[in-house]
Amino acid sequence: MQSPTPPSTLPDSRTEPDGSAVVRVLSYNIRSLRDDTEALSRIIRACAPDVVLLQEAPRFFRWRKQLSRLARGSGLVTLAGGGTAAGPALLCSLRARVESTEDVLLPLTPGLHRRGLSTAVLRFGAARLGVVSCHLSLQKDERYAQGGMLLDKVAGLGTQYAVAGGDINERPGGRTFRLLAGELRDAWTVRPAGGEHTSTAADPRQRIDALFVTEGVEVLGCGVPDLPGVTEADLRAASDHLPVLAALRLPAAS
């Protein structure tokens, strides 16, 4: 693990002359928009993301309208997910060129919540990025099986470079977290920038939300951001989780 990077030094989004790109990726469990949506939108805007991986997005009555309202308030557009992915969703900026999207429902275990994945393939300049948002099970055996399905989906995106993440519902020492970090790279461990713990927002003591990247993606910093203009009261009011923000450098597609 490299030395921590101050969150204020996370680079802005940009495309280099050689076609490579710096992309800001945000992961956030938004608790079905049951909290202060204005505070939530302020936080997302302050993160200035190119891509947002949401968990617990609205998925029942008028969920598309609710998700669209959040996207507009955050200066973004709805990309995929929500009710069609059982909660995970994707937002993006107009900088992203969308190649494809797909929402995947994972096998249902009787008595447990339905889970899913929201996926996309995007281009930023000449850089191509696969994206997967997930919210894994609270039940340990189902969670481990879903971790394997997540890895299979990342491998099947057809992209050399990918980022996957969300609410893992498990700490880094857990079996599923270790499975993901063994096949992919835990971005916070590679280059921490900002806070580590994501849950709960009112009393953060554990890291159960994470972003993972494939080989070749350069992590410029990842962690719970310290954002100008965003107060601790905003973070507590917006959700019961804290956001995870990463800046990634993507090589140009060969």
Side-chain angles (χ1 to χ4, degrees):
M1 185 173 70
Q2 299 185 34
S3 299
T5 298
S8 60
T9 65
L10 280 182
D12 294 334
S13 304
R14 64 178 183 270
T15 301
E16 305 288 7
D18 64 357
S20 64
V22 173
V23 176
R24 291 168 69 98
V25 179
L26 176 67
S27 180
Y28 210 163
N29 182 320
I30 60 172
R31 212 168 80 103
S32 300
L33 295 180
R34 294 200 297 266
D35 301 295
D36 186 336
T37 55
E38 291 186 3
L40 178 63
S41 293
R42 283 197 299 274
I43 293 165
I44 295 176
R45 287 197 305 269
C47 289
D50 297 295
V51 188
V52 182
L53 286 62
L54 296 177
Q55 302 83 50
E56 291 192 40
R59 58 192 181 99
F60 295 116
F61 183 66
R62 293 183 175 175
W63 64 267
R64 288 183 175 86
K65 185 175 182 180
Q66 295 179 64
L67 190 56
S68 178
R69 185 181 296 120
L70 174 65
R72 288 197 306 273
S74 305
L76 303 168
V77 296
T78 304
L79 182 57
T84 50
L90 297 171
L91 308 179
C92 69
S93 71
L94 295 178
R95 180 182 179 224
R97 293 165 50 204
V98 182
E99 282 194 14
S100 64
T101 64
E102 181 184 11
D103 295 327
V104 179
L105 291 175
L106 300 178
L108 176 63
T109 300
L112 298 179
H113 291 296
R114 190 68 182 258
R115 304 283 176 170
L117 307 172
S118 187
T119 80
V121 176
L122 307 174
R123 282 188 180 270
F124 298 92
R128 193 165 177 258
L129 179 68
V131 183
V132 183
S133 177
C134 71
H135 186 184
L136 303 187
S137 176
L138 289 166
Q139 202 280 331
K140 62 179 182 180
D141 293 332
E142 184 182 48
R143 181 168 62 243
Y144 187 75
Q146 291 171 351
M149 296 174 203
L150 171 61
L151 291 173
D152 289 343
K153 188 59 188 174
V154 171
L157 287 173
T159 60
Q160 184 175 1
Y161 308 114
V163 57
D167 184 347
I168 310 304
N169 264 323
E170 187 175 274
R171 299 179 184 184
R175 184 170 65 141
T176 303
F177 204 112
R178 288 187 284 110
L179 171 70
L180 298 176
E183 293 292 326
L184 304 171
R185 297 156 60 229
D186 176 5
W188 190 86
T189 300
V190 174
R191 195 172 186 89
E196 175 182 6
H197 297 149
T198 62
S199 177
T200 61
D203 185 21
R205 297 188 178 187
Q206 57 182 348
R207 182 163 74 98
I208 62 173
D209 304 85
L211 289 167
F212 300 90
V213 298
T214 55
E215 289 294 334
V217 176
E218 182 182 357
V219 179
L220 304 177
C222 177
V224 177
D226 181 10
L227 301 165
V230 172
T231 66
E232 289 188 13
D234 285 332
L235 292 167
R236 290 194 298 269
S239 176
D240 60 345
H241 286 240
L242 293 175
V244 180
L245 178 64
L248 310 174
R249 189 189 308 277
L250 310 175
S254 57

